[in-house]
Amino acid sequence: MLKGKTAVITGGTRGIGFAVAKKYLDNGANVAVAGSRPETVEKALAALAEYGERVMGISPDLCSPEEVAASFASVKARFGSLDILINNAGVSSRTPLYDYTLEEFSRIIDINLKAVFVCSQAAARLMREQGGGSIINASSMVSEYGQPSGCGYPATKFAVDGLTKSLSRELAKDGIRVNAVAPGVTKTDMVAALPKEMVDRISAGIPLGRPGEPEEVADAYVYLGSDMASYVTGTVLRVDGAAMN
Ligand code: NAD
């Protein structure tokens, strides 16, 4: 579904991002895994060694326009184009408002929102030159409902939906589609480490009766990045088992 396309996946070193990297490679794409540290990128590349020359690693500061532009240029130089940007890197927080520091609030805004802006701008510049592309952002089910603590996290995800919808309108003329994937509770390391009773309690509130697998979320990224979604832009695709419906 993605043969000949080149994708950058931020936070592609583990969790949902790593599952997306694997699915993209399985579907014929070239992939640049972007991680926060060279060591984690190296580890991810070792785990993807079977894909050989179709995968590379980068580790720019995602909030630095200069570093991101240089990294994305290196991806284009290596593979010939940059067709898909997946803004997946993110951090969450459950801190109550009364204890939330300005530093923590700024950090979550930086990674979950400012980095999406910086990376989207750098990628869009390259995509416009080459006649189009696709940007896919990591939203969350909390972008619709909020959450009872850790207000910074849902605030960033509401903003990501806003950026997605606005940029889809602004960039359509350049052939660039912009969408988001909104996962529900997904079995990354964090969820896998929870006690069984807690997972059972969470599952009871999900009509499909279980958390999602990272691979199930990754399939949505494959669809939105592929030509099968050529008329889909400005959408936030929920992959959450109808949680909170
Ligand atoms: P994870 O913690 O397993 O992975 C997050 C990734 O982001 C890691 O690769 C990490 O290195 C990267 N990252 C964090 N800070 C970074 C920084 N400063 N610079 C570069 N990379 C950085 O998380 P996940 O569960 O796989 O989540 C991926 C995305 O999906 C996030 O945006 C998250 O908000 C969203 N999401 C996850 C769930 C879930 O249940 N797992 C649900 C809804 C939305």
Side-chain angles (χ1 to χ4, degrees), residues 71-220:
S71 279
F72 288 8
S74 75
V75 174
K76 188 174 174 176
R78 162 86 175 261
F79 296 123
S81 62
L82 199 177
D83 307 290
I84 303 165
L85 166 67
I86 297 179
N87 283 310
N88 164 78
V91 289
S92 73
S93 157
R94 295 246 158 215
T95 308
L97 178 66
Y98 299 109
D99 303 323
Y100 224 118
T101 62
L102 191 56
E103 288 69 29
E104 186 179 355
F105 194 76
S106 298
R107 196 173 101 80
I108 207 157
I109 296 270
D110 277 357
I111 297 163
N112 293 11
L113 182 60
K114 202 197 277 185
V116 176
F117 161 76
V118 169
C119 292
S120 298
Q121 185 183 54
R125 284 176 173 148
L126 296 176
M127 289 171 181
R128 180 174 60 174
E129 265 172 26
Q130 73 196 21
S134 168
I135 297 172
I136 314 171
N137 299 322
S139 179
S140 165
M141 69 177 180
V142 305
S143 78
E144 207 163 325
Y145 303 101
Q147 63 185 31
S149 65
C151 60
Y153 181 74
T156 61
K157 296 302 184 182
F158 272 80
V160 162
D161 288 1
L163 205 53
T164 301
K165 289 174 188 182
S166 295
L167 291 183
S168 73
R169 292 176 178 276
E170 183 174 346
L171 300 179
K173 65 180 184 324
D174 301 319
I176 302 170
R177 297 184 296 107
V178 187
N179 292 289
V181 173
V185 181
T186 309
K187 260 199 202 159
T188 53
D189 294 350
M190 199 177 66
V191 175
L194 295 176
K196 185 178 176 307
E197 310 78 71
M198 195 182 278
V199 177
D200 288 348
R201 199 161 5 102
I202 293 169
S203 300
I206 303 172
L208 283 185
R210 61 174 177 83
E213 298 293 336
E215 292 71 23
E216 293 176 303
V217 177
D219 281 335

Side-chain angles (χ1 to χ4, degrees), residues 217-237:
V217 177
D219 281 335
Y221 282 98
V222 172
Y223 164 67
L224 288 172
S226 78
D227 293 338
M228 287 188 76
S230 55
Y231 198 56
V232 179
T233 194
T235 197
V236 179
L237 177 55

